[in-house]
């Protein structure tokens, strides 16, 4: 296969001197390494511009996550543990607060930079997922269908557009549910770990997954739960699909059990900590809080609206949300 790729690239390079300007561009773009560099530059540039333009805005959720992060970084950890706000977002901000001693005027900027890092990680896992999809398509495609199928460059170009739309509009990189408010939620990290888990599922389906793949799958689902509480029950749907693929199709019981055990070992301590803090068994109370905000008889309009606060003045003087 590598010799065929080398021959194809040699043929493309030989055509460059005689091709027109537009043809040269497409030949240059057809090389995967160059195309990947261009796409990464687009992702980084657009993401950073949007992140930096919203660096002084944070909504009510962001204030709460910053509160929790400050407790992890500067106060007793036990007071930071709560069932309403998922821990991963605050853990990541707490690292910055602790190491860099970020003043309050810059806390919203730190929040958006954490989102930006998650956005870059999400594109990396999306690349992995898309690569697995393309690989499976090539492996199962009939020879006569190869002439009409999407090329690899077309797949990646289409994927880039879908990724940018879904992350910059739908995943709160800098927009609250696409409504124009500042992104102050860990949704982008859910995107990151869901793409990773989906790519690992595709690898399991191909029959090429080893123990490391299954271990990473369990870790990805555990950290997805740390990012958003609802991913705890959703993780069992992922596990059910992985079990069906692994046990029924490929008879790989031990690696699947390893993924399940690793998920339980990583996620279990947080479930125990939250349950102890709440006084009853629970994997998180975010659903109950959201219901009270949006549906209950005493629904809080602020909870549904996503009030924006601007740095440095508003966040410095804003009422802090108790957790």
């Amino acid at each position: 296969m590598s010799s065929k790729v080398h021959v194809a690239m040699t043929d493309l390079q030989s055509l460059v001197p005689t091709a027109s300007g537009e043809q040269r561009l497409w030949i240059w773009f057809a090389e995967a390494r160059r195309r990947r560099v261009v796409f990464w530059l687009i992702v980084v540039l657009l993401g950073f511009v949007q992140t930096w333009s919203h660096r002084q805005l944070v909504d009510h959720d962001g204030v709460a996550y910053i509160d929790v992060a400050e407790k992890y970084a500067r106060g007793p950890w036990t007071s930071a543990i709560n069932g309403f706000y998922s821990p991963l977002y605050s853990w990541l901000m707490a690292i910055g607060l602790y190491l860099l001693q970020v003043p309050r005027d810059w806390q919203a900027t730190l929040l958006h930079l954490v989102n930006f890092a998650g956005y870059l990680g999400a594109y990396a896992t999306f690349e992995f997922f898309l690569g697995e999809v393309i690989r499976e398509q090539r492996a199962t495609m009939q020879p006569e269908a190869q002439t009409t199928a999407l090329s690899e460059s077309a797949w990646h170009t289409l994927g880039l557009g879908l990724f940018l739309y879904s992350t910059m509009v739908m995943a709160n990189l800098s927009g609250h549910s696409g409504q124009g408010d500042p992104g102050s939620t860990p949704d982008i990290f859910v995107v990151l770990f869901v793409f990773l888990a989906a790519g690992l599922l595709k690898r399991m389906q191909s029959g090429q997954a080893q123990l490391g793949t299954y271990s990473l799958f369990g870790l990805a689902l555990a950290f997805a739960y740390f990012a958003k509480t609802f991913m705890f029950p959703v993780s069992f749907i992922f596990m059910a699909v992985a079990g069906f693929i692994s046990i029924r199709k490929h008879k790989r019981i031990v690696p699947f059990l390893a993924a399940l055990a690793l998920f339980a070992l990583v996620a279990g301590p947080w479930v125990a900590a939250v349950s102890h803090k709440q006084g009853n068994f629970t994997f998180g109370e975010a659903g109950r809080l959201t219901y009270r905000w949006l549906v209950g008889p005493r629904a809080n309009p602020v909870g549904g609206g996503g009030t924006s606060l601007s740095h440095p003045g508003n966040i410095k003087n804003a009422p802090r949300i108790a957790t």
Side-chain angles (χ1 to χ4, degrees), residues 204 211 213-223 226 232 235-236 239 242-243 252-269:
M204 293 176 196
L211 181 61
T213 300
Y214 284 89
S215 300
L216 185 58
F217 182 72
L219 285 174
L221 293 179
F223 277 89
F226 292 155
F232 185 83
S235 292
F236 289 98
M239 282 291 181
R252 300 184 64 81
I253 300 176
V254 174
F256 169 71
L257 293 178
L260 191 60
L262 194 57
F263 172 77
L265 287 173
V266 176

Side-chain angles (χ1 to χ4, degrees), residues 115-284:
N115 271 4
F116 179 65
Y119 162 79
L120 296 182
Y123 186 62
T125 58
F126 174 76
E127 274 195 324
F128 168 69
F129 166 70
L130 186 59
E132 293 297 319
V133 171
I134 295 172
R135 188 177 296 111
E136 182 194 30
Q137 184 202 45
R138 295 290 185 264
T140 58
M141 186 183 299
Q142 298 296 327
E144 59 272 13
Q146 293 182 359
T147 57
T148 58
L150 285 175
S151 65
E152 185 173 336
S153 60
W155 269 109
H156 283 281
T157 304
L158 178 62
L160 175 68
L162 292 174
F163 173 82
L164 290 174
Y165 174 79
S166 63
T167 55
M168 300 183 79
V169 176
M170 297 174 62
N172 285 321
L173 172 63
S174 289
H176 187 83
S177 302
Q179 297 173 8
D181 296 328
S184 304
T185 72
D187 292 11
I188 192 65
F189 291 95
V190 177
V191 173
L192 187 162
F193 292 114
V194 166
F195 277 140
L196 178 58
L200 294 170
L201 275 178
K202 296 299 292 184
R203 182 164 293 184
M204 293 176 196
Q205 188 177 17
S206 69
Q208 299 177 353
Q210 303 298 323
L211 181 61
T213 300
Y214 284 89
S215 300
L216 185 58
F217 182 72
L219 285 174
L221 293 179
F223 277 89
Y225 161 54
F226 292 155
K228 276 281 190 174
T229 300
F230 79 90
M231 283 303 299
F232 185 83
V234 172
S235 292
F236 289 98
I237 299 176
F238 274 84
M239 282 291 181
V241 175
F244 178 83
I245 293 172
S246 305
I247 297 174
R248 184 166 181 175
K249 290 188 65 175
H250 303 294
K251 310 299 182 184
R252 300 184 64 81
I253 300 176
V254 174
F256 169 71
L257 293 178
L260 191 60
L262 194 57
F263 172 77
L265 287 173
V266 176
W270 180 252
V271 174
V274 173
S275 298
H276 178 74
K277 188 67 177 287
Q278 297 296 130
N280 58 276
F281 175 79
T282 179
F283 57 84

Side-chain angles (χ1 to χ4, degrees), residues 57-71 85 89-90 93 97 104 107-108 111 182-185 307-311 314-323:
L57 296 176
V58 61
D59 64 11
H60 63 283
D61 278 333
V63 174
Y65 280 113
I66 291 173
D67 275 346
V68 176
E70 284 186 324
K71 292 179 181 179
Y85 293 95
Y89 204 32
S90 295
M93 284 188 285
L97 292 174
R104 181 160 292 184
Q107 287 179 354
L111 179 147
S184 304
T185 72
T307 302
S308 301
L309 305 173
S310 178
H311 268 248
N314 286 352
I315 190 65
K316 185 184 295 185
N317 303 314
R320 315 300 278 184
I321 295 178
T323 54

Side-chain angles (χ1 to χ4, degrees), residues 36-91:
R36 189 166 182 260
V37 169
V38 172
F39 284 1
W40 267 101
L41 287 174
I42 293 173
V43 168
V44 171
L45 179 62
L46 293 181
F48 184 77
V49 167
Q50 191 183 55
T51 298
W52 193 251
S53 67
H54 289 73
R55 69 189 182 278
Q56 293 185 330
L57 296 176
V58 61
D59 64 11
H60 63 283
D61 278 333
V63 174
Y65 280 113
I66 291 173
D67 275 346
V68 176
E70 284 186 324
K71 292 179 181 179
Y72 279 119
R74 297 163 183 162
W77 286 19
T78 54
S79 65
I81 297 174
N82 70 93
F84 299 106
Y85 293 95
S86 303
L88 180 63
Y89 204 32
S90 295
W91 288 344

